[in-house]
């Protein structure tokens, strides 16, 4: 009997607790295979090549009812929730990144979610970040022991000849004792501990982006996974409260970045005005708290819709500036935008302005952001006005911005309308809502009843029961005939809107109770899951 409880998820990566009859371990982890699965080794069919044909795999079908359960790209899923599943020879997948990603997605799609994934003979300090990022949990020491036999010194940055042992690169006890075997094993454990830390901080992607640079295959795997947007998007939480480091070109392809742009273009409803000002971003987030944006807002004085042009997100309407990742990203600021950045971001602006027409679009921009706005104007066929001859925060530029808006009417500041359309895909009439609190900690009420608060960590709206009445559909989780005590667990769920992502605000509906809360996993996983928290409950209402 084995069990696997997922604790934290960050994309495909996760931390968890894996239990057998004799052992309980926190994952990700490396162990000796004998301690994981004592007993005779290598059951039939457990060592087939990944590229083996369906005919071959079916001729040597793995034994059932033994742990670990062998899974294979050509085999129907034999595993159940709680099993340890093993993908034999996974180290060979590194020789072809395209196959790696195809096999991984195929296997992930058909295997129960709450299974512990074991990649025997694969983990090295230099690749374990990719393995964890791909959703593997359990490792052994065979790959590092093989490196020891080959007289190679393992580090997260790669393998070196064994003389490196005494060179001061590492000072672990293995190195102190000049024991290569011990160093290599400790280096793997050390790297797994580091990856675990990044998963717990919801920043494993940032680590992978930095670690992968020394290995072309790892970069290729990350990029090919990004190309599988539909698959990756489902696994990425809707919001986090930590910094998103957008320090590489690949940031443009991150699922959360693409999802933000898609929602701004397709779900977000702009305020009723036909004048827009395009503004540069600020290093400080949310932008409103920066000196430069205070100056912009003073000059604009509510007479235009404020749209921030920024990389990698594209376009951030002022109302969405606190929402993840708009309120959380960090980019290296040089003023220079490369060709790919310009192409991706200008296409976001183009798609937005094709959908939302403005009578006047004023570019209060310089450098790369200005170039991108010009590219979009050309694509859409609108004429851009310019209010900025030199630096956007200079007095002359701010005066020009102010006078360009002379005679334009003030528009109503309606953050709630913008945020609710972005988050719940509805065009809500916000007439009669009132606001209290201090930015960004805000509360919205209607008829003296609170309807929404704002999660200052993620920037998302948190509906109350009254708030949910304004959201007619979606984001519902239906539970069995019970009153939740604390969080709702996966087995208690009867059905759920499959569009719900990890981190989405949800309304729990059951015959005996309703509850508000936040989804702890993507709801299309529910069918393939037996254990674990599905909704972190905030409030319960007995019926
Ligand atoms: Zn060492």
């Amino acid at each position: 009997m084995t069990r696997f409880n997922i604790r934290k998820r960050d994309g495909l990566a996760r931390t968890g607790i894996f239990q057998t009859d004799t052992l309980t371990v926190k994952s990700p982890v490396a162990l000796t295979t004998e301690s994981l699965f004592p007993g005779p080794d290598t059951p039939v069919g457990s060592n087939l090549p990944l590229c083996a044909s369906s005919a071959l795999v079916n001729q040597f079908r793995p034994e059932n009812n033994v742990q670990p359960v062998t899974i294979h790209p050509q085999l129907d899923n034999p595993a159940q929730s709680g099993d340890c599943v093993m993908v034999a020879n996974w180290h060979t997948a590194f020789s072809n990144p395209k196959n790696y990603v195809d096999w991984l997605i195929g296997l992930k799609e058909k295997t129960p979610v709450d299974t512990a994934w074991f990649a025997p003979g694969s983990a090295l300090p230099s690749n374990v970040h990719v393995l964890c990022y791909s959703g593997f949990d359990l490792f052994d020491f065979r790959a590092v022991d093989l490196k020891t036999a080959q007289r190679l010194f393992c580090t997260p940055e790669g393998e070196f000849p064994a003389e490196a042992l005494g060179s001061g690169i590492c000072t672990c006890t293995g190195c102190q004792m000049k024991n290569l075997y011990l160093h290599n094993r400790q280096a793997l454990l050390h790297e797994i501990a580091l990856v675990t830390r990044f998963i717990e901080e919801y920043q494993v992607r940032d680590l992978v982006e930095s670690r992968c640079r020394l290995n072309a295959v790892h970069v290729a795997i990350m990029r090919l996974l990004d190309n599988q947007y539909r698959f990756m998007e489902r696994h990425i939480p809707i919001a986090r409260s930590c910094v998103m480091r957008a320090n590489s070109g690949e940031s443009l392809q991150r699922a959360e970045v693409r999802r933000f742009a898609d929602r701004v273009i397709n779900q977000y409803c702009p305020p009723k005005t036909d004048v827009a000002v395009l503004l540069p971003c600020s290093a400080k987030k949310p932008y409103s708290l920066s000196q430069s944006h205070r100056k912009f807002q003073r000059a604009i004085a509510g007479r235009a819709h404020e749209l921030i042009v920024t990389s990698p997100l594209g376009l951030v309407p002022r109302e969405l500036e606190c929402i993840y990742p708009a309120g959380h990203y960090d980019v290296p600021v040089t003023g220079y935008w490369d060709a790919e950045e310009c192409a991706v971001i200008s296409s976001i602006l183009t798609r937005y302005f094709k959908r939302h027409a403005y009578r006047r679009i004023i570019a209060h921009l310089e450098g790369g952001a200005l170039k991108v706005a010009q590219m979009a104007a050309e694509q859409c066929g609108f004429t851009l006005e310019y209010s900025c001859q030199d630096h956007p925060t200079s007095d002359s530029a701010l005066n020009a911005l102010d006078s360009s808006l002379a005679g334009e009417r003030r528009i109503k500041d309606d953050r709630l309308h913008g945020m609710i359309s972005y988050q719940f895909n509805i065009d809500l009439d916000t007439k009669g809502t009132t606001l209290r609190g201090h930015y960004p900690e805000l509360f919205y009420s209607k008829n003296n009843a609170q309807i929404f608060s704002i999660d200052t960590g993620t920037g998302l709206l948190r509906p109350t029961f009254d708030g949910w009445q304004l959201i007619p559909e979606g984001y519902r989780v239906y539970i069995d005939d019970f009153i939740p005590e604390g969080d709702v667990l996966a087995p208690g769920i009867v059905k759920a809107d499959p569009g719900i992502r990890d981190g989405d605000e949800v309304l729990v509906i059951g015959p005996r109770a309703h509850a508000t809360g936040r989804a702890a996993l993507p709801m299309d996983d529910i069918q393939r899951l037996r254990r674990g928290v599905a909704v972190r409950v905030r409030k319960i209402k007995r019926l």
Side-chain angles (χ1 to χ4, degrees):
M1 181 70 183
T2 57
R3 280 180 173 185
F4 184 56
N5 261 0
I6 297 172
R7 303 297 286 273
K8 285 200 171 167
R9 300 156 167 258
D10 186 6
L12 297 171
R14 60 265 182 100
T15 64
I17 308 252
F18 179 67
Q19 277 179 294
T20 68
D21 293 333
T22 51
L23 165 110
T24 299
V25 287
K26 284 186 182 168
S27 68
V29 68
L31 296 161
T32 59
T33 321
E34 308 80 67
S35 66
L36 253 178
F37 301 107
D41 53 5
T42 330
V44 178
S46 64
N47 197 24
L48 287 164
L50 285 160
C51 56
S53 66
S54 172
L56 187 68
V57 172
N58 280 297
Q59 194 186 338
F60 296 96
R61 290 186 75 84
E63 275 175 53
N64 281 331
N65 308 321
V66 282
Q67 294 289 336
V69 175
T70 294
I71 59 173
H72 188 279
Q74 297 294 340
L75 198 63
D76 288 340
N77 169 55
Q80 295 179 351
S81 285
D83 281 346
C84 172
V85 298
M86 178 175 79
V87 192
N89 302 307
W90 189 250
H91 61 283
T92 63
F94 282 105
S95 63
N96 184 328
K98 171 88 172 59
N99 286 348
Y100 182 106
V101 168
D102 288 348
W103 286 332
L104 181 72
I105 293 177
L107 288 168
K108 281 283 169 190
E109 296 277 29
K110 67 185 171 191
T111 309
V113 178
D114 48 354
T115 44
W117 282 51
F118 177 34
S122 299
L124 294 170
S126 58
N127 70 12
V128 77
H129 65 96
V130 180
L131 291 167
C132 291
Y133 182 72
S134 307
F136 283 91
D137 311 287
L138 305 177
F139 309 102
D140 59 18
F141 293 108
R142 281 185 228 174
V144 277
D145 289 351
L146 181 62
K147 295 293 176 197
T148 306
Q150 294 167 336
R151 302 295 299 154
L152 289 168
F153 176 84
C154 295
T155 76
E157 291 78 13
E159 292 78 43
F160 300 95
E163 307 90 81
L165 190 62
S167 68
I169 293 174
C170 178
T171 54
C172 75
T173 45
C175 287
Q176 287 166 23
M177 294 158 65
K178 297 269 188 298
N179 183 330
L180 184 63
Y181 165 87
L182 199 57
H183 160 81
N184 280 346
R185 285 192 169 206
Q186 290 192 0
L188 177 60
L189 293 172
H190 177 263
E191 180 68 2
I192 289 173
L194 185 78
V195 174
T196 304
R197 185 76 210 177
F198 273 83
I199 298 171
E200 286 169 345
E201 302 281 339
Y202 303 106
Q203 294 181 328
V204 73
R205 166 68 182 223
D206 302 8
L207 178 71
V208 170
E209 281 198 14
S210 116
R211 276 280 194 256
C212 71
R213 297 300 153 192
L214 290 169
N215 189 316
V217 167
H218 300 168
V219 176
I221 289 169
M222 181 178 68
R223 289 186 185 166
L224 290 168
L225 275 171
D226 282 345
N227 285 350
Q228 301 292 326
Y229 172 66
R230 280 175 178 283
F231 174 77
M232 290 304 280
E233 188 275 333
R234 272 180 17 222
H235 293 88
I236 299 295
I238 213 78
R240 302 176 168 105
S241 49
C242 57
V243 172
M244 185 188 87
R245 299 181 187 92
N247 291 343
S248 80
E250 280 101 358
S251 306
L252 287 163
Q253 308 303 333
R254 281 178 75 149
E256 56 265 70
V257 169
R258 285 185 62 180
R259 176 165 60 198
F260 183 83
D262 277 354
R263 284 188 173 204
V264 167
I265 293 161
N266 299 315
Q267 294 192 183
Y268 163 73
C269 300
K272 289 187 180 53
T273 175
D274 53 6
V275 183
V277 174
L278 303 179
L279 295 169
C281 63
S282 60
K284 197 176 173 84
K285 310 284 179 321
Y287 312 122
S288 284
L289 297 180
S290 71
Q291 291 287 337
S292 59
H293 276 249
R294 281 186 191 152
K295 290 177 183 166
F296 300 149
Q297 290 192 288
R298 221 173 293 138
I300 294 165
R303 293 171 294 174
H305 185 210
E306 297 168 25
L307 294 163
I308 292 92
V309 179
T310 183
S311 179
L313 298 180
L315 201 59
V316 180
R318 174 68 73 197
E319 309 95 286
L320 308 183
E321 67 176 0
C322 294
I323 294 179
Y324 182 88
H328 306 71
Y329 69 104
D330 200 5
V331 281
V333 179
T334 60
Y336 170 77
W337 293 30
D338 68 31
E340 196 199 353
E341 243 172 341
C342 290
V344 172
I345 308 263
S346 70
S347 92
I348 294 171
L349 267 64
T350 301
R351 281 155 69 205
Y352 177 84
F353 285 113
K354 280 193 171 158
R355 205 176 158 100
H356 303 292
Y358 292 80
R359 176 172 51 89
R360 300 179 61 196
I361 300 172
I362 300 165
H364 195 73
L365 300 169
E366 62 176 351
L370 178 61
K371 187 176 159 199
V372 159
Q374 287 166 329
M375 287 166 75
E378 202 168 300
Q379 285 280 320
C380 298
F382 61 77
T383 313
L384 215 49
E385 297 176 42
Y386 302 96
S387 57
C388 210
Q389 293 305 324
D390 54 307
H391 195 265
T393 53
S394 68
D395 287 344
S396 63
L398 292 167
N399 288 336
L401 180 59
D402 179 10
S403 45
S404 73
L405 291 167
E408 298 294 350
R409 280 192 311 146
R410 271 183 87 92
I411 58 168
K412 195 179 149 213
D413 178 12
D414 195 355
R415 268 180 193 255
L416 179 61
H417 179 255
M419 287 195 292
I420 206 165
S421 61
Y422 171 87
Q423 189 177 339
F424 295 109
N425 197 16
I426 52 166
D427 187 359
L428 180 77
D429 181 2
T430 55
K431 217 172 2 184
T433 57
T434 54
L435 174 66
R436 67 189 170 80
H438 288 288
Y439 176 84
E441 207 164 329
L442 302 173
F443 304 90
Y444 292 93
S445 303
K446 193 169 187 174
N447 303 327
N448 291 323
Q450 188 177 313
I451 48 174
F452 298 105
S453 60
I454 289 179
D455 182 321
T456 50
T458 61
L460 290 178
L461 290 165
R462 284 189 302 215
T464 63
F465 288 112
D466 288 311
W468 276 110
Q469 299 209 342
L470 305 171
I471 301 164
E473 57 185 23
Y475 303 94
R476 263 66 171 176
V477 175
Y478 296 89
I479 56 167
D480 240 328
D481 190 12
F482 66 94
I483 297 169
E485 288 177 30
D487 295 335
V488 173
L489 304 178
I493 293 176
V494 180
K495 67 170 182 171
D497 172 3
I500 294 169
R501 299 286 176 262
D502 182 359
D504 261 325
E505 288 293 323
V506 294
L507 178 64
V508 178
I509 300 172
R512 296 175 64 192
H514 288 183
T516 60
R518 170 173 296 181
L521 43 88
M523 284 298 158
D524 50 9
D525 276 0
I526 274 293
Q527 303 299 328
R528 297 185 295 134
L529 196 71
R530 287 259 187 83
R531 300 171 71 88
V533 174
V535 179
R536 302 209 181 279
V537 167
R538 196 158 45 244
K539 270 209 164 144
I540 298 170
K541 186 164 75 178
R542 288 158 183 262
L543 299 180

